[in-house]
């Protein structure tokens, strides 16, 4: 079993089924302690090796819609997004805390 259904041999269809039961998913970015901020929206740094040789390209962010998790719909995220139920919110705040009126829909 894997956290985001990334291991194809053990993919569990109930992950997607449960996520698709949501009325809306509102991940938010620009939290002060989340790096990269886009990881709040299922994004990440690109994988190819950079000049430091650590296997992470900090110059390029792979967006949610470019991720295999999204493209292959491992957890139902693409289905939820295509039905208009993923709302990306940007809010300058501490992680998990977004004051009323402080965020903006993207």
């Amino acid at each position: 079993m894997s956290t985001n259904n990334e291991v194809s041999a053990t993919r569990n269809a109930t992950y997607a089924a449960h996520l698709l039961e949501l009325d809306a998913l509102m991940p938010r970015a620009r939290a002060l302690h989340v790096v990269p901020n886009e990881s709040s929206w299922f994004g990440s740094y690109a994988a190819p090796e950079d000049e430091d040789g650590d296997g992470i390209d900090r110059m390029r962010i792979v967006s949610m819609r470019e991720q295999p998790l999204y493209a292959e719909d491992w957890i139902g995220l693409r289905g939820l997004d295509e039905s208009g139920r993923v709302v990306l919110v940007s809010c300058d705040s501490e992680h998990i805390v977004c004051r009323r009126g402080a965020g903006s829909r993207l």
Side-chain angles (χ1 to χ4, degrees), residues 2-52:
S2 57
T3 304
N4 287 318
N5 248 359
E6 65 268 18
V7 179
S8 60
T10 61
R11 286 219 176 106
N12 184 339
T14 59
Y15 275 45
H18 289 161
L19 194 69
L20 289 167
E21 290 176 3
L22 294 175
D23 292 328
L25 177 66
M26 295 180 65
R28 64 179 195 83
R30 293 193 347 208
L32 301 175
H33 302 292
V34 177
V35 178
N37 284 319
E38 293 81 1
S39 65
S40 296
W41 295 338
F42 298 93
S44 67
Y45 289 121
E49 281 199 10
D50 64 5
E51 294 169 11
D52 294 333

Side-chain angles (χ1 to χ4, degrees), residues 10-91:
T10 61
R11 286 219 176 106
N12 184 339
T14 59
Y15 275 45
H18 289 161
L19 194 69
L20 289 167
E21 290 176 3
L22 294 175
D23 292 328
L25 177 66
M26 295 180 65
R28 64 179 195 83
R30 293 193 347 208
L32 301 175
H33 302 292
V34 177
V35 178
N37 284 319
E38 293 81 1
S39 65
S40 296
W41 295 338
F42 298 93
S44 67
Y45 289 121
E49 281 199 10
D50 64 5
E51 294 169 11
D52 294 333
D54 64 0
I56 299 171
D57 181 353
R58 289 180 178 79
M59 299 303 292
R60 184 168 111 63
I61 299 292
V62 179
S63 73
M64 172 184 77
R65 292 179 181 98
E66 295 176 285
Q67 298 286 346
L69 169 124
Y70 182 91
E72 298 171 21
D73 210 17
W74 298 346
I75 61 170
L77 184 60
R78 189 182 76 221
L80 198 67
D81 187 34
E82 289 175 350
S83 68
R85 294 179 286 159
V86 173
V87 180
L88 301 178
V89 177
S90 181
C91 179

